[in-house]
Amino acid sequence: MKVLVAVKRVIDYNVKIRVKPDKTGVETANVKMSMNPFDEIGVEEAVRLKEAGAATEVVAVSMGPQACQETIRTALAMGADRGIHVLSDAELQPLAVAKLLKAIAGKEQPQLVILGKQAIDDDSNQTGQMLAALLGWAQGTFASKLKLDGGKALVTREIDGGLETVELTLPAVMTTDLRLNEPRYASLPNIMKAKKKPIEQLTPEALGVDVTPRLVTLKVEEPQKRQGGKKVASVQELVDKLKNEARVI
């Protein structure tokens, strides 16, 4: 069974985000970048499937500028077998990414596609669901547990009311939640081995996909700074402030 894992290059989660002076977006120049944490969980799950003998090959896919190859190398160091890089300097929005992944899935014929439930830069939480719809495949989103049984996949999902277990017929799309696993650190020998693993480079044009953005960002602003709390002397004063200052009652 072949497993396709999508990995995205994002600003490292430890970095404090700064808005550009012209408010057109966030500052990415000279900022530490890393793999999206939810995608790391996806790579770890795919590698565990291979180690358990349930998968035969793990392919890591990333889309974006040339620097995305660093993210693919990280996935290869974690245990992926080979990488695919869709080179594009355009802004790749969720629908465009889903269409590119559909084209790659048609080329690679995987039995399972794993994505992070969302990327920490735009928090869209759309690509996995869009991909499943475009492919016409079953989907298990927000997965906290995965079990393969023949041509079926049992996925335990994190939902508002607790946990839900769904049975999917393969091929399928799965998106990862935080409790699915704990990603491993890549060892130095594996990092060195990853340098020799192949990365195929494609373009949106070669895949026949139009990646023109459908959405336009008008302005990006930092949230207002939170004000300090106040002590009140009585319940009556509290009710008065909630009603007249906070205007929540």
Side-chain angles (χ1 to χ4, degrees):
M1 182 179 79
K2 184 185 293 186
V3 181
L4 197 69
V5 187
V7 294
K8 186 177 184 181
R9 182 174 181 264
V10 299
I11 296 175
D12 190 87
Y13 68 92
N14 289 311
V15 174
K16 178 175 172 55
I17 303 299
R18 292 180 293 113
V19 175
K20 291 180 180 179
D22 59 3
K23 297 185 178 181
T24 57
V26 298
E27 190 62 65
T28 57
N30 301 316
V31 173
K32 182 183 177 184
M33 309 292 280
S34 63
M35 187 190 299
N36 179 47
F38 290 104
D39 296 342
E40 281 187 322
I41 294 170
V43 174
E44 175 66 25
E45 192 65 21
V47 172
R48 290 188 185 188
L49 289 174
K50 184 184 174 186
E51 291 173 344
T56 55
E57 186 180 27
V58 177
V59 183
V61 183
S62 190
M63 302 167 188
Q66 190 67 30
C68 288
Q69 291 209 6
E70 298 173 11
T71 306
I72 298 175
R73 292 292 177 197
T74 301
L76 296 176
M78 290 176 67
D81 297 294
R82 59 187 176 90
I84 297 174
H85 176 214
V86 181
L87 180 63
S88 176
D89 291 320
E91 178 192 355
L92 297 176
Q93 295 178 350
L95 180 59
V97 174
K99 288 180 177 180
L100 289 169
L101 285 172
K102 179 193 175 186
I104 292 172
K107 178 174 174 287
E108 292 289 331
Q109 295 296 309
Q111 290 297 101
L112 182 64
V113 180
I114 302 179
L115 307 88
K117 72 170 184 178
Q118 63 196 77
I120 62 172
D121 53 359
D122 56 19
D123 276 334
S124 291
N125 182 15
Q126 295 175 332
T127 307
Q129 294 89 326
M130 287 178 170
L131 176 61
L134 290 171
L135 289 169
W137 290 4
Q139 60 177 306
T141 54
F142 318 130
S144 62
K145 187 177 180 182
L146 170 66
K147 181 181 178 182
L148 296 181
D149 184 12
K152 305 285 186 181
L154 291 176
V155 177
T156 301
R157 303 180 59 237
E158 301 270 348
I159 60 174
D160 291 340
L163 299 175
E164 175 187 60
T165 301
V166 294
E167 183 181 80
L168 312 178
T169 300
L170 298 178
V173 175
M174 187 185 82
T175 69
T176 65
D177 212 328
L178 283 173
R179 279 168 285 278
L180 182 60
N181 60 51
E182 182 72 29
R184 70 191 67 189
Y185 288 102
S187 64
L188 183 58
N190 286 339
I191 292 173
M192 300 305 292
K193 289 177 185 176
K195 294 181 179 180
K196 298 180 181 179
K197 292 182 179 180
I199 297 179
E200 181 184 1
Q201 192 167 85
L202 302 170
T203 62
E205 293 75 21
L207 293 170
V209 177
D210 178 15
V211 295
T212 303
R214 264 64 172 178
L215 306 174
V216 178
T217 301
L218 300 179
K219 184 168 63 172
V220 177
E221 292 182 322
E222 290 189 17
Q224 291 183 350
K225 291 186 178 180
R226 188 173 178 178
Q227 297 180 346
K230 298 178 181 178
K231 289 185 178 181
V232 294
S234 65
V235 174
Q236 184 60 41
E237 185 182 355
L238 172 63
V239 172
D240 180 66
K241 287 185 178 295
L242 290 175
K243 180 183 265 187
N244 300 314
E245 291 186 20
R247 299 181 185 276
V248 294
I249 60 174

